[in-house]
Amino acid sequence: MVRQGKLLEVQDLQKNYGKKNNITKALNGVSFDVLPGEFLGIMGPSGSGKTTLLNCIATIIKPTSGRVLLNGENISAFDSKDLAEYRGSRIGYLFQDFELLDNLTGQENILLPLSIHGIDFAKAHTKLDDLAFFLEITDILNKFPSQMSGGQKQRVAAARSLISNPDIVLADEPTGALDTRSARTLMNKLEGINRSRGRTILMVSHDPNAASFCSRILFIQDGVIFHELRRKHDESQEKFYERILHLLAQLGGGSVNVL
Amino acid sequence: MFSRLIYRNAKRNRKENLIYFATLVTAVASFYIILSLGRQDVILFLKEFESDAIDKLLAQMPIVYLFSLFLLFFLTLFANRYQLNRRSKEFGLYLMLGMRKERLILQLLAEGFITSILALIGGILIGGFLAEIISLTVSKLVGQGIIGHQISLSVGAIFFTIVGFLFIQFIALAILGGRLFNQEVHQLLYEQMDKKQDMGHLKGNVINILVGSILLGAAYWIVLYRFMDFAGLILFAALALGSLGTILFMRGFAKLLGLLANMSERKSTKGLHTFTLRQFQENIANRSTSVAVTSILIMLAIILLTDGASTIMGLENVYTRGPAIYDFTVNSDNQKAEQFLTSEKMVSYVEDLNFLEIGQMKYQDEHGEDDLPLSLVDWSKLREQLIMALPSNYREQILSGEMQYYDISSENPEALNLFGVLEIDATKPYLIPETSYNGLLEAIGETPLNLDSDEIALYFNPDFMPMDDVDIMPVLDRILEDALEERQSLMSINDQEVFIHPSIPMRGLVADRSVEITSAFIVPDQMFEQLLDTETYVSYWNFCIPQKLQEQQGLMKAMMEARDLLQSSGFEFESYLQNFGRKLFYVVAGSYTTLYLGFLFLIIACTVIALQFLTQMKQTGQRYVTLSVLGAKRKQMKQSVHRQVLLTFLLPMSLACVSGAVGIRAMISFVIIYFDDQVLLYPIALTFACLVLGIFVIYGVAVARSADHEIDKLRWKPNID
Ligand SMILES: Nc1ncnc2c1ncn2[C@@H]1O[C@H](COP(=O)(O)OP(=O)(O)O)[C@@H](O)[C@H]1O
Ligand SMILES: [Mg+2]
């Protein structure tokens, strides 16, 4: 394997909520790296700090301490103006509840990051058509979100997160609001995007099924990362899924500290 | 604890929602202003001369009050609904925490009451201040130091303002409270804008726009060309068509915007252009009816304001003296009146004192065949000459006997007017002795008449005889000149040939209206005594305020003083003040209500637009969060919001301007509005345009700032699983 530079470095990230006498330590010193082309999953039970972690990376919230480096640049120290440059162009997002603007058509939603950043999207149309074809949303580009199914919405959202060729796509429980079938379709597409186009994805989920599409999984609890699983080179998704389930059973049954 | 919550909430309401509070204050202020009309300086002033008319005007005010009560009720209903929608989550929470619905509604009413009291205090203060300013401005405009200033504070007005406002506020809250009572907690917690994005089919929209435009066009056509058909009833048809057209137009327009958005997307558009359009489209599409209603309100406001403004332009006319030169006419037994007018205390107010005698001519002693009295006047030769001088079409009508009656109008040729007047008057003409008229001529610095014993002069009252120049009658003079050359007499009285003096300067015979005659013969004094029908005899003392006194004190003030003296003397009299007061009354009565309603409509429309926009803003706040996550800067989003505000105000305003212009055009061509003062036209038009624009700008800026505030408040709220 060729040694690549780190795309994302998370260093000792801490995030506290609340005031002095009532502090929630949502993140309690989280560190990890993401390599280019990786499909990294982060798993953990509800309230373990997944969303907080992702939002810190996404620059949506400011960490209490620690650093987030994207291509070596400390984006957690940026001021809001520089952050706006990053959002939507260098970082793409996928949310549990899609966050599509319901008064814009699918196509308008997808192109939104480009227009926000003032990118001439006359050239982007080939890219749009390509993405739409791959995500199977060509037919619904001119529909409004209210006329789409959940799965379609999330695929439109996926297209939106990819349109500006971001360095990394952050996804927070992207299958959380979808039924099993749509969730599977979506994960297949994300995997495809990761594999065939080399797009780096960082996904947070508590769903082992979704997580089994990843190439590596970090486990988080109470704001700390305590375990890591890697998918073997030729391991099938089903096999990986079995392993995750197995691990979760162990975690649920025994003490966390054992691992 | 409970009462503290109420107080705190009421306070937060006012702070958080300045527009809501400002709306209530505006409502209160409008009530106060209309109710305190009777205390306005100009009205108090007019009451002294035109008390009947003023009473009639004031008697109309309760109707205006009730009408504005009705309008402002909807405004408060709307404002309160907006406010409650903003807080629906909070109410849901109270209910979740176990508060009973009755209690919640009681709390709402209590909060509403506190807010109302504060709105009342603020509104009455502002209303009082505005009323005072209006009072001062008007008396300054009317001016010349004649109107004393009185504080316009009126207890009755305050009372009815409070009663009226609390009444509508209570009803509005009761209705909204009732609705709240019937809502599920869930609805309250998750209330959102209609999620459905019905952007419609293109075909239907084009039809909407087409039909809307056609209806509007029909309405415009009716207004422009069929204004007065069916006794003006057709105007209602025009109004209905116009309103329906406006609604359809707005409905279709919203959807056409979608098309525009689609088109712009294919071009390389930068920034939040598409988003802005879509937001605007949604705002219009979801509320096309109320956008149309605001547009109609603005149109009405524009028309009313123009009408009011055109009346104000008539103010200049109030000061231009008509043909009456005398300031006072005392109508009394001549000796005593003369004594009084030349007495020590009056003498400094009296100049050009003149005794006017007037009466009609006798008939012949014998009666005619059918027992009708016979006139002493034979003017057949003059009549012939006048007919000869007529344009041929009129001449034929008269000769064939087709013309039955005579309109005296400024559009007629001079000869026709003369002919008509004499035809009516010459049988039993009014007589004025030469000396009486000479007094008048002297007062205006003209040479006295000095008539021969067989000479008369014709007098035409310039008030009733429209003439370009009251001193010259070219056609008459030519006829008289020709007759003089041929030494021919054109008239005989009592079988004696008389000669007619060339035309003389003509002025009003009295100060106002005590003598209302169209024409008279000015005759030598001797002839007056001979021919007078003594039963018709009347006499007056006329005088002017001395020039010097006018320069010292101003005409109005001196007149008021003289009037007070005369009033205490008990003589019957009239003065130019009455004339002035009457004209002023028309201006005041004609402008006050229209301007008031105009501004009221404008403010209501603006408030509705503003509240609607902010409601949408609040309900779609999450979109801005999403935008910011996609990398939009606050500045970018604010820019988009400002554009939305601009468009939201511009759309109803543009259509209103077009419709308003058509309405005004029609009213001008049917002389309901006319601008008779070209000098004042531009300043006044400019002032009103600025006022209207100013109101829009104030509202627009207020909305934009609230929206900015909402955007600044946006925080990313992570969804907790
Ligand atoms: N805005 C917030 N204010 C206070 N506490 C918060 C906030 N967001 C999250 N938390 C707390 O931080 C912890 C981690 O939350 P979160 O990151 O949402 O976990 P997850 O996404 O893994 O369910 C939880 O205990 C949660 O209650
Ligand atoms: Mg989460």
Side-chain angles (χ1 to χ4, degrees):
Chain A
M1 203 166 79
V2 186
R3 175 92 190 127
Q4 289 170 302
K6 297 161 185 170
L7 177 70
L8 184 78
E9 295 165 75
V10 175
Q11 298 174 348
D12 195 24
L13 214 53
Q14 300 211 4
K15 176 68 189 179
N16 300 339
Y17 287 116
K19 293 203 179 105
K20 268 173 200 155
N21 38 13
N22 186 22
I23 293 185
T24 315
K25 291 195 168 184
L27 294 180
N28 200 2
V30 172
S31 302
F32 63 91
D33 298 332
V34 183
L35 302 178
E38 247 194 321
F39 190 171
L40 178 64
I42 294 177
M43 282 194 78
S46 196
S48 55
K50 303 184 298 292
T51 300
T52 306
L53 173 61
L54 206 67
N55 286 349
C56 281
I57 299 171
T59 69
I60 290 170
I61 54 179
K62 249 195 155 61
T64 311
S65 71
R67 305 200 302 167
V68 177
L69 308 181
L70 183 67
N71 287 321
E73 276 183 293
N74 183 2
I75 57 174
S76 51
F78 279 3
D79 62 14
S80 63
K81 216 172 90 192
D82 294 326
L83 284 179
E85 295 298 334
Y86 262 82
R87 292 183 189 146
S89 67
R90 308 270 309 268
I91 308 175
Y93 306 92
L94 215 48
F95 302 94
Q96 178 172 350
D97 45 7
F98 329 126
E99 300 291 346
L100 294 177
L101 298 190
D102 48 15
N103 59 339
L104 265 56
T105 61
Q107 172 166 325
E108 286 164 358
N109 264 295
I110 295 171
L111 292 175
L112 200 53
L114 295 185
S115 46
I116 285 175
H117 292 283
I119 298 165
D120 189 341
F121 53 62
K123 279 171 260 157
H125 274 285
T126 22
K127 170 114 184 133
L128 172 72
D129 294 340
D130 177 42
L131 271 176
F133 177 75
F134 181 75
L135 292 166
E136 294 174 44
I137 48 173
T138 311
D139 297 343
I140 52 166
L141 280 183
N142 287 320
K143 287 191 178 170
F144 289 95
S146 57
Q147 300 160 322
M148 303 174 191
S149 71
Q152 288 172 327
K153 281 188 211 173
Q154 195 60 299
R155 277 178 278 143
V156 168
R160 182 178 68 184
S161 71
L162 292 164
I163 189 77
S164 54
N165 289 329
D167 297 338
I168 187 167
V169 174
L170 306 177
D172 186 359
E173 311 253 12
T175 59
L178 303 182
D179 59 279
T180 345
R181 258 177 67 111
S182 319
R184 218 179 157 72
T185 317
L186 179 75
M187 289 316 299
N188 268 322
K189 297 292 178 197
L190 286 183
E191 192 183 29
I193 282 170
N194 170 253
R195 290 248 170 116
S196 63
R197 294 157 197 240
R199 188 72 57 218
T200 312
I201 301 174
L202 171 54
M203 183 187 78
V204 145
S205 180
H206 69 257
D207 172 14
N209 222 322
S212 64
F213 286 85
C214 300
S215 55
R216 181 162 68 107
I217 302 175
L218 298 172
F219 289 84
I220 185 172
Q221 178 137 26
D222 299 329
V224 193
I225 290 178
F226 67 92
H227 196 75
E228 179 179 323
L229 272 187
R230 273 173 198 269
R231 187 164 162 187
K232 286 170 202 134
H233 205 59
D234 50 357
E235 192 176 19
S236 74
Q237 179 254 329
E238 289 78 10
K239 279 269 170 55
F240 194 38
Y241 175 62
E242 298 285 314
R243 267 213 294 151
I244 298 169
L245 281 190
H246 187 68
L247 177 69
L248 288 177
Q250 274 186 320
L251 289 177
S255 152
V256 173
N257 294 330
V258 177
L259 288 159
Chain B
M1 159 66 201
F2 188 50
S3 60
R4 282 229 345 245
L5 187 62
I6 291 174
Y7 179 75
R8 264 213 322 270
N9 281 341
K11 188 166 163 188
R12 201 196 50 198
N13 276 356
R14 291 192 305 279
K15 268 188 138 169
E16 266 198 352
N17 194 347
L18 202 64
I19 294 197
Y20 167 69
F21 190 62
T23 306
L24 297 186
V25 170
T26 311
V28 173
S30 337
F31 286 148
Y32 181 82
I33 288 175
I34 197 68
L35 283 168
S36 66
L37 176 64
R39 301 283 306 168
Q40 293 268 312
D41 291 334
V42 90
I43 299 287
L44 290 174
F45 171 74
L46 285 176
K47 233 178 170 159
E48 296 184 38
F49 326 105
E50 292 284 319
S51 64
D52 285 354
I54 287 288
D55 285 345
K56 254 185 223 153
L57 177 72
L58 290 180
Q60 280 175 10
M61 285 307 123
I63 300 171
V64 179
Y65 170 63
L66 286 179
F67 185 60
S68 40
L69 207 64
F70 178 73
L71 287 178
L72 290 172
F73 164 70
F74 286 104
L75 194 65
T76 47
L77 187 73
F78 197 76
N80 280 308
R81 198 186 67 186
Y82 164 67
Q83 183 65 1
L84 292 187
N85 276 347
R86 275 176 67 99
R87 297 176 61 199
S88 76
K89 261 207 177 92
E90 176 190 339
F91 298 147
L93 221 61
Y94 287 150
L95 294 178
M96 290 266 284
L97 295 176
M99 190 185 266
R100 287 178 52 219
K101 272 189 174 174
E102 289 85 351
R103 187 157 159 184
L104 176 61
I105 286 172
L106 214 67
Q107 179 184 332
L108 276 184
L109 285 178
E111 280 177 31
F113 185 70
I114 294 181
T115 310
S116 304
I117 295 292
L118 289 167
L120 274 170
I121 294 173
I124 288 176
L125 283 178
I126 290 177
F129 181 68
L130 277 178
E132 200 68 14
I133 297 232
I134 294 170
S135 184
L136 278 169
T137 316
V138 172
S139 52
K140 180 120 193 159
L141 270 176
V142 172
Q144 308 192 335
I146 42 165
I147 297 180
H149 179 61
Q150 293 197 25
I151 296 293
S152 62
L153 193 73
S154 149
V155 180
I158 292 180
F159 176 75
F160 279 105
T161 303
I162 293 176
V163 170
F165 178 70
L166 285 183
F167 177 71
I168 57 169
Q169 178 78 341
F170 177 78
I171 298 214
L173 282 175
I175 290 176
L176 293 171
R179 202 189 284 169
L180 191 68
F181 196 83
N182 292 321
Q183 254 174 351
E184 302 276 352
V185 178
H186 178 86
Q187 264 175 302
L188 290 174
L189 279 173
Y190 301 105
E191 217 221 15
Q192 276 223 334
M193 206 164 184
D194 239 354
K195 274 267 167 68
K196 238 173 121 196
Q197 283 306 313
D198 174 28
M199 300 304 191
H201 308 290
L202 189 59
K203 223 160 135 198
N205 305 329
V206 171
I207 289 179
N208 268 339
I209 283 231
L210 271 181
V211 175
S213 309
I214 290 173
L215 289 183
L216 273 175
Y220 292 165
W221 180 79
I222 290 179
V223 164
L224 283 176
Y225 303 109
R226 289 281 171 270
F227 200 74
M228 286 305 179
D229 290 12
F230 305 110
L233 278 179
I234 197 152
L235 271 190
F236 286 100
L239 206 62
L241 284 179
S243 304
L244 199 65
T246 309
I247 291 173
L248 287 177
F249 184 84
M250 288 298 174
R251 199 165 281 168
F253 186 82
K255 309 202 171 143
L256 269 196
L257 275 176
L259 201 66
L260 204 66
N262 273 334
M263 279 177 3
S264 72
E265 190 174 286
R266 285 280 154 195
K267 289 184 283 162
S268 63
T269 335
K270 290 179 181 174
L272 292 173
H273 183 76
T274 313
F275 173 73
T276 308
L277 267 183
R278 288 289 190 199
Q279 286 285 99
F280 178 49
Q281 177 195 6
E282 184 182 47
N283 209 355
I284 304 294
N286 283 348
R287 297 148 203 269
S288 53
T289 311
S290 70
V291 174
V293 170
T294 52
S295 179
I296 293 165
L297 280 178
I298 296 171
M299 174 203 72
L300 288 176
I302 289 176
I303 292 180
L304 286 171
L305 290 178
T306 313
D307 185 31
S310 74
T311 316
I312 288 189
M313 281 176 218
L315 196 61
E316 194 74 351
N317 268 0
V318 171
Y319 297 106
T320 39
R321 255 341 260 248
I325 58 151
Y326 289 115
D327 296 323
F328 283 89
T329 298
V330 179
N331 169 5
S332 172
D333 166 52
N334 52 38
Q335 303 262 286
K336 271 199 215 148
E338 186 176 18
Q339 268 169 23
F340 178 73
L341 292 175
T342 48
S343 70
E344 196 132 332
K345 64 177 174 180
M346 270 312 281
V347 78
S348 60
Y349 295 102
V350 178
E351 196 175 69
D352 298 323
L353 184 63
N354 184 32
F355 188 55
L356 171 71
E357 293 177 285
I358 198 161
Q360 280 181 296
M361 194 188 277
K362 291 188 286 203
Y363 284 118
Q364 287 182 19
D365 292 337
E366 308 98 68
H367 282 207
E369 290 162 13
D370 39 10
D371 208 29
L372 284 177
L374 291 173
S375 173
L376 288 173
V377 183
D378 173 11
W379 63 291
S380 47
K381 284 184 191 144
L382 177 60
R383 191 171 182 276
E384 235 163 70
Q385 293 295 325
L386 281 174
I387 292 175
M388 298 290 284
L390 280 174
S392 57
N393 56 331
Y394 288 110
R395 191 185 319 145
E396 274 151 32
Q397 280 182 43
I398 286 174
L399 290 178
S400 66
E402 250 175 76
M403 195 173 274
Q404 299 288 344
Y405 53 88
Y406 310 95
D407 272 337
I408 312 298
S409 116
S410 55
E411 265 131 60
N412 290 346
E414 181 194 325
L416 185 66
N417 279 339
L418 286 172
F419 180 81
V421 168
L422 288 176
E423 197 64 349
I424 298 162
D425 282 0
T427 325
K428 190 174 169 69
Y430 282 95
L431 301 175
I432 300 172
E434 185 187 0
T435 18
S436 283
Y437 204 76
N438 278 344
L440 187 149
L441 288 176
E442 274 165 41
I444 56 170
E446 296 280 343
T447 42
L449 283 174
N450 201 10
L451 296 173
D452 291 333
S453 62
D454 60 349
E455 193 180 20
I456 68 162
L458 295 177
Y459 170 80
F460 297 99
N461 187 347
D463 275 332
F464 300 123
M465 191 78 165
M467 290 177 289
D468 292 338
D469 184 344
V470 282
D471 294 347
I472 306 169
M473 307 191 85
V475 178
L476 180 66
D477 280 344
R478 195 159 16 85
I479 294 173
L480 296 177
E481 221 170 274
D482 292 349
L484 201 66
E485 263 172 33
E486 294 168 23
R487 301 238 126 246
Q488 192 194 11
S489 139
L490 293 175
M491 191 190 280
S492 73
I493 297 177
N494 208 7
D495 295 331
Q496 275 191 337
E497 290 199 333
V498 291
F499 292 89
I500 301 173
H501 194 276
S503 63
I504 51 168
M506 296 178 201
R507 296 291 187 276
L509 297 171
V510 286
D512 188 25
R513 306 210 276 205
S514 35
V515 173
E516 293 190 297
I517 61 174
T518 315
S519 68
F521 292 177
I522 299 169
V523 297
D525 293 4
Q526 206 189 346
M527 203 192 281
F528 182 76
E529 270 159 42
Q530 277 172 15
L531 298 177
L532 180 72
D533 171 3
T534 43
E535 275 172 33
T536 60
Y537 175 83
V538 269
S539 62
Y540 305 91
W541 284 99
N542 281 319
F543 68 90
C544 300
I545 297 290
Q547 203 60 43
K548 233 167 90 192
L549 199 63
Q550 285 185 37
E551 276 153 25
Q552 279 167 9
Q553 304 195 335
L555 174 63
M556 289 293 172
K557 184 144 184 293
M559 267 201 285
M560 302 274 263
E561 285 174 10
R563 180 192 62 151
D564 291 343
L565 284 172
L566 275 168
Q567 228 151 24
S568 61
S569 76
F571 286 114
E572 218 176 285
F573 69 97
E574 63 170 22
S575 71
Y576 169 66
L577 277 174
Q578 266 145 315
N579 187 302
F580 172 78
R582 195 166 43 244
K583 286 195 274 184
L584 184 59
F585 174 79
Y586 289 133
V587 172
V588 171
S591 55
Y592 212 101
T593 327
T594 34
L595 288 180
Y596 176 79
L597 287 178
F599 280 114
L600 200 62
F601 284 166
L602 196 62
I603 283 171
I604 289 175
C606 285
T607 312
V608 169
I609 296 175
L611 290 181
Q612 257 175 6
F613 184 84
L614 290 174
T615 309
Q616 188 211 21
M617 178 85 197
K618 184 88 190 166
Q619 281 168 337
T620 62
Q622 181 63 26
R623 288 179 192 160
Y624 294 92
V625 177
T626 307
L627 284 181
S628 91
V629 172
L630 293 178
K633 296 170 195 127
R634 279 186 196 223
K635 213 178 108 200
Q636 243 177 338
M637 293 192 280
K638 284 181 185 173
Q639 221 168 44
S640 160
V641 167
H642 295 173
R643 289 227 174 95
Q644 290 174 43
V645 173
L646 190 68
L647 290 171
T648 309
F649 275 91
L650 269 186
L651 175 65
M653 203 173 154
S654 318
L655 188 56
C657 281
V658 174
S659 301
V662 170
I664 291 166
R665 176 92 210 90
M667 286 170 90
I668 290 174
S669 56
F670 290 92
V671 209
I672 291 169
I673 297 179
Y674 69 31
F675 304 100
D676 49 6
D677 196 318
Q678 295 301 321
V679 188
L680 275 177
L681 179 61
Y682 290 103
I684 289 200
L686 204 69
T687 310
F688 273 85
C690 286
L691 271 175
V692 171
L693 271 183
I695 288 176
F696 270 102
V697 168
I698 288 173
Y699 271 88
V701 169
V703 171
R705 288 190 59 166
S706 309
D708 279 356
H709 186 64
E710 294 273 331
I711 286 189
D712 284 332
K713 267 196 336 202
L714 288 181
R715 288 283 172 273
W716 175 255
K717 291 182 201 72
N719 28 317
I720 298 168
D721 312 313

